[in-house]
Amino acid sequence: MRIPDFEYHAPAHIDECGALLSAFGEDCALLAGGTELLVRMKYRLTRPSHLVAVSRVEGMGEIGYDRDTGLVLGAGVKLSALISSTAIREHYPVISHAATLIAASQIRNMATLGGNICQNTRCFYYNRSAAWGKAVGPCIKRGGTQCHAVRGSSRCFAVYQGDLAPVLIALGARALVIRNGQTSDVPLESLYSGEGRAPFGAGRFVLWKITLPPATHALFAGYRKYRLRDGLDFPIAGVALAVERAGADVTSLRICLTGVWSSPVLVKQTEETAKGKPLSPDLVAELAELAYWSAHPVENVEGTAARRRSMVRLMTREALLGAP
Ligand SMILES: Cc1cc2nc3c(=O)[nH]c(=O)nc-3n(C[C@H](O)[C@H](O)[C@H](O)COP(=O)(O)OP(=O)(O)OC[C@H]3O[C@@H](n4cnc5c(N)ncnc54)[C@H](O)[C@@H]3O)c2cc1C
């Protein structure tokens, strides 16, 4: 399969990058490592005439840690750098750990943080060649009117399967984005629409940087990934959590899921449920139940929906019990 023709742009400044995106509109895509985008172009799932590379944009490769202000990561940082960075391994080892679980080392050497966070949703009925699409008929995400995964539905259920977004959201990450010439600093979870067909909503944006609050000694964070084969597979369910305690009692707790909906899912009411209490077996079971009821997988990636949902409960329990 050949990649369709395109014009290549490599801006050095973030304003120029945003301006190119605005100027070319829907006929343009941002290119980072290309490990997801170029595959979709080969399948003719997207056909932008202009690719705007982010690799040379100022600040995209930044990794900086300050104990008063926290961590700053440029969106162009390679996944392999997330694994090898001393600052990340020391202060947020869960990020390095999650990055090691993504794809294979050749891909991690090309792929970036921003591309991972901004990857498109996936589905058995979408990530297929153009010839396959013609034979079966287009699903909603391919421009049709029917969801093949949930018959009769006019909504797209394609799944978000990124590994890093749930971890960063659990840690309270914020995103610095350029949209229509404006820079804004927003909670990372707000980038996702929750809809499979257009997982980032209608507007185009450049993700420039990710910031995290300073890591404290009271922080424990974990990530569990369920996939059929270790090695290359995407998560068909994943659980990330970050918990802080004063003594034995929980002071803050965030749990975020992946692979079970069209966006990362920040589980509601975890903090209200856990605040001021020790992580007793009863509380852990209650939190695992909250996570279970927040997962809404359908049969559109590997594994059955029921099994993936049960794995969310199991992994939440395991991750919480792993807290020292
Ligand atoms: C065999 C294989 C296995 C994989 N396994 C996993 C896995 O286990 N877990 C996982 O999470 N992913 C997996 N991936 C998906 C993908 O490789 C990674 O998510 C990777 O991190 C994407 O990064 P990239 O830099 O290559 O993105 P690209 O392919 O360059 O871009 C991906 C998308 O993000 C957009 N984008 C890129 N940078 C920005 C930015 N700064 N601002 C806004 N939008 C941007 C692009 O326009 C594009 O739509 C796998 C891919 C393959 C081919």
Side-chain angles (χ1 to χ4, degrees):
M1 265 178 286
R2 293 171 61 117
I3 295 185
D5 290 343
F6 59 85
E7 206 174 310
Y8 179 77
H9 308 264
H13 298 289
I14 190 68
D15 294 346
E16 198 188 338
C17 185
L20 284 166
L21 198 63
S22 304
F24 297 125
E26 291 303 315
D27 200 18
C28 163
L30 290 174
L31 173 70
T35 61
E36 195 243 2
L37 177 66
L38 298 182
V39 179
R40 296 204 312 119
M41 287 175 68
K42 283 188 176 183
Y43 277 1
R44 308 299 191 259
L45 297 173
T46 181
R47 293 191 73 152
S49 309
H50 299 271
L51 292 190
V52 177
V54 297
S55 53
R56 291 192 202 157
V57 172
E58 49 172 339
M60 280 283 181
E62 178 178 356
I63 301 182
Y65 184 75
D66 180 286
R67 64 179 176 185
D68 296 323
T69 53
L71 185 70
V72 181
L73 294 173
V77 168
K78 303 277 187 200
L79 302 187
S80 50
L82 295 178
I83 297 168
S84 59
S85 156
T86 317
I88 299 174
R89 290 165 74 101
E90 191 178 327
H91 299 288
Y92 305 92
V94 66
I95 299 177
S96 299
H97 168 65
T100 61
L101 303 178
I102 297 169
S105 56
Q106 292 92 335
I107 294 175
R108 293 193 294 265
N109 286 337
M110 290 298 295
T112 63
L113 170 67
N116 191 273
I117 290 171
C118 299
Q119 66 182 277
N120 216 302
T121 49
R122 303 176 63 82
C123 174
F124 272 156
Y125 299 95
Y126 174 69
N127 298 89
R128 300 279 188 168
S129 66
W132 190 93
K134 269 190 203 147
V136 176
C139 66
I140 294 170
K141 201 166 162 67
R142 295 182 86 122
T145 52
Q146 282 288 317
C147 173
H148 295 326
V150 180
R151 301 273 166 179
S153 170
S154 55
R155 181 201 189 281
C156 171
F157 286 87
V159 188
Y160 182 78
Q161 292 185 279
D163 279 301
L164 290 175
V167 171
L168 294 166
I169 291 171
L171 288 168
R174 297 188 68 85
L176 204 58
V177 295
I178 317 308
R179 207 189 279 265
N180 301 324
Q182 305 288 320
T183 305
S184 52
D185 178 2
V186 296
L188 178 56
E189 57 269 29
S190 71
L191 294 187
Y192 300 92
S193 71
E195 207 276 327
R197 191 182 55 79
F200 299 94
R204 314 293 309 280
F205 64 87
V206 186
L207 173 60
W208 192 20
K209 293 183 185 180
I210 292 290
T211 57
L212 281 173
T216 67
H217 290 300
L219 173 71
F220 167 78
Y223 179 60
R224 301 280 163 137
K225 173 172 179 172
Y226 174 46
R227 51 184 166 175
L228 293 192
R229 293 152 300 200
D230 281 348
L232 271 183
D233 282 0
F234 286 83
I236 51 176
V239 176
L241 61 87
V243 55
E244 283 189 275
R245 283 168 296 179
D249 294 343
V250 173
T251 52
S252 78
L253 172 63
R254 280 160 73 94
I255 300 177
C256 190
L257 315 178
T258 191
V260 289
W261 188 239
S262 302
S263 62
V265 179
L266 186 58
V267 178
K268 293 190 179 127
Q269 289 179 339
T270 51
E271 192 143 318
E272 296 89 319
T273 306
K275 208 164 184 171
K277 300 176 193 161
L279 280 176
S280 65
D282 281 353
L283 178 61
V284 167
E286 197 179 341
L287 292 166
E289 210 57 29
L290 283 178
Y292 174 86
W293 288 106
S294 305
H296 300 287
V298 303
E299 311 271 335
N300 58 353
V301 292
E302 291 98 348
T304 66
R307 171 97 178 135
R308 284 158 59 209
R309 203 173 187 202
S310 299
M311 285 302 288
V312 165
R313 177 161 49 202
L314 183 74
M315 291 189 293
T316 306
R317 203 166 54 215
E318 280 184 359
L320 283 167
L321 290 173

